[in-house]
Amino acid sequence: MDWSRIKTIFILSFFVLNIYLMNEFLKIRTATKYEYATNPSLENRLKADEISYNDLPKNFEKDKYLSTVPRVFSEEEVEMLIDTTLSGQTITIRNNQNIESKLDTPLKVSSKGQPPELDAFLKGSVINGDQYRYWGRDENEKSITYYQQYQEKLLYKNPSGQITFYLNSDNEVVSYKQTLLDKIEELSEDERIIQPIKAIETLYENGYLPYGTKIERVEFGYYTLVRLTSSQVLTPAWRFVLNGGENLFVNAFEGQVIQLKDEENNWSE
């Protein structure tokens, strides 16, 4: 047996095998680099489009659907409060669910942002006024709107849980309209919600975050999923406030963007 020849054959075989393996390795490495370059992370894509956001909420992982019904106001209830909570006001009840108030003495408020004068008025002079939180001003209609909240989470854009104050030309509140949601109950077991970064990805992928967008605020609340005359079902939702004041909402269970009418987005804070 020619051992020297066999040894040479083995050496050549391993040499060829090494060349083949090195070639395959380089192919895989090149493909990986190309894939990374053509499919960058969300963070890199947002950075490339100069889309920025501040710290995102981290303390929301699970939540529930809620059910609620509009509060029915009675003449007897108002009559009992007219000398206490509702003193200095002329109250009219519309359709059993809407309170309209005219103030005997206009209330001067700050000209911009959230007027602290209204916080005191809400707590002392409005039925269940401590259940509402400031939403924004409408400079065209000269109005200031508050929405009801549940466990410190706002019920977004809910006309059945809303107070709107109306101002005169001297920046004084002269009247307000109120609706109130009642019997807010948890309708389901805890379910996992999507995290805000995933909701941002949904907005980005669907073209809601153009180049240069700054997400100024992210918060968690509820949006009306089903609205009937006598009841509502609310779903958890993420709210994103963009530079310029636009509000965007994403269903925190299903992940889809919640569509709003244009006029519902034009608010200043």
Side-chain angles (χ1 to χ4, degrees), residues 136-145 164-167 267-268:
R137 289 177 181 252
D138 188 320
E139 299 297 345
N140 293 325
E141 292 192 359
K142 296 191 69 63
S143 64
I144 302 172
T145 293
T164 303
F165 294 96
Y166 296 94
L167 295 83
W267 292 90
S268 62

Side-chain angles (χ1 to χ4, degrees), residues 11-217:
I11 290 173
L12 289 174
S13 298
F14 280 114
F15 180 71
V16 172
L17 178 61
N18 285 337
I19 292 176
Y20 171 76
L21 292 175
M22 179 61 73
N23 187 52
E24 290 300 310
F25 170 75
L26 291 174
K27 284 182 180 178
I28 294 173
R29 186 180 179 188
T30 302
T32 302
K33 280 187 175 180
Y34 179 76
E35 181 180 0
Y36 178 77
T38 56
N39 187 24
S41 67
L42 173 64
E43 182 179 353
N44 287 337
R45 284 183 286 160
L46 295 178
K47 186 176 181 180
D49 282 343
E50 296 193 9
I51 297 170
S52 61
Y53 54 86
N54 298 320
D55 292 339
L56 300 176
K58 298 177 180 177
N59 53 338
F60 298 101
E61 295 184 355
K62 295 180 178 180
D63 212 287
K64 303 177 176 68
Y65 290 108
L66 303 179
S67 67
T68 184
V69 298
R71 171 78 166 269
V72 174
F73 297 105
S74 66
E75 297 287 351
E76 293 76 13
E77 178 184 14
V78 169
E79 194 66 33
M80 291 177 62
L81 297 173
I82 204 65
D83 292 327
T84 55
T85 301
L86 301 177
S87 65
Q89 304 177 43
T90 302
I91 302 294
T92 303
I93 299 176
R94 306 284 186 192
N95 302 321
N96 297 325
Q97 296 179 3
N98 298 272
I99 281 184
E100 295 182 2
S101 168
K102 290 186 178 180
L103 306 191
D104 295 345
T105 303
L107 174 64
K108 186 74 174 181
V109 295
S110 305
S111 58
K112 294 182 178 179
Q114 179 178 356
E117 302 87 349
L118 281 181
D119 289 345
F121 183 81
L122 277 166
K123 292 177 181 176
S125 304
V126 175
I127 297 174
N128 290 33
D130 59 346
Q131 295 185 14
Y132 297 82
R133 188 170 13 130
Y134 176 77
W135 173 262
R137 289 177 181 252
D138 188 320
E139 299 297 345
N140 293 325
E141 292 192 359
K142 296 191 69 63
S143 64
I144 302 172
T145 293
Y146 287 68
Y147 285 113
Q148 204 171 335
Q149 56 182 342
Y150 173 73
Q151 295 184 345
E152 299 184 350
K153 291 173 278 188
L154 272 183
L155 312 185
Y156 299 127
K157 302 285 189 178
N158 200 317
S160 299
Q162 175 179 352
I163 295 178
T164 303
F165 294 96
Y166 296 94
L167 295 83
N168 60 19
S169 57
D170 295 325
N171 208 45
E172 297 172 324
V173 171
V174 294
S175 63
Y176 70 84
K177 294 181 179 179
Q178 178 186 13
T179 54
L180 177 64
L181 287 167
D182 209 1
K183 300 178 182 177
I184 299 177
E185 298 177 350
E186 296 174 348
L187 192 60
S188 63
E189 298 295 324
D190 271 340
E191 296 183 32
R192 190 167 295 280
I193 62 173
I194 65 169
Q195 292 304 293
I197 188 62
K198 184 64 178 176
I200 289 176
E201 184 176 18
T202 298
L203 293 172
Y204 178 72
E205 296 290 353
N206 287 278
Y208 288 92
L209 302 178
Y211 182 90
T213 297
K214 181 179 180 181
I215 301 174
E216 296 183 339
R217 192 196 315 170

Side-chain angles (χ1 to χ4, degrees), residues 203 208 223-224 235-238 247-252 256-260:
L203 293 172
Y208 288 92
Y223 200 85
T224 304
T235 184
W238 289 107
N247 288 277
L248 297 174
F249 299 89
V250 175
N251 187 313
Q256 77 271 25
V257 180
I258 298 171
Q259 302 292 338
L260 295 177

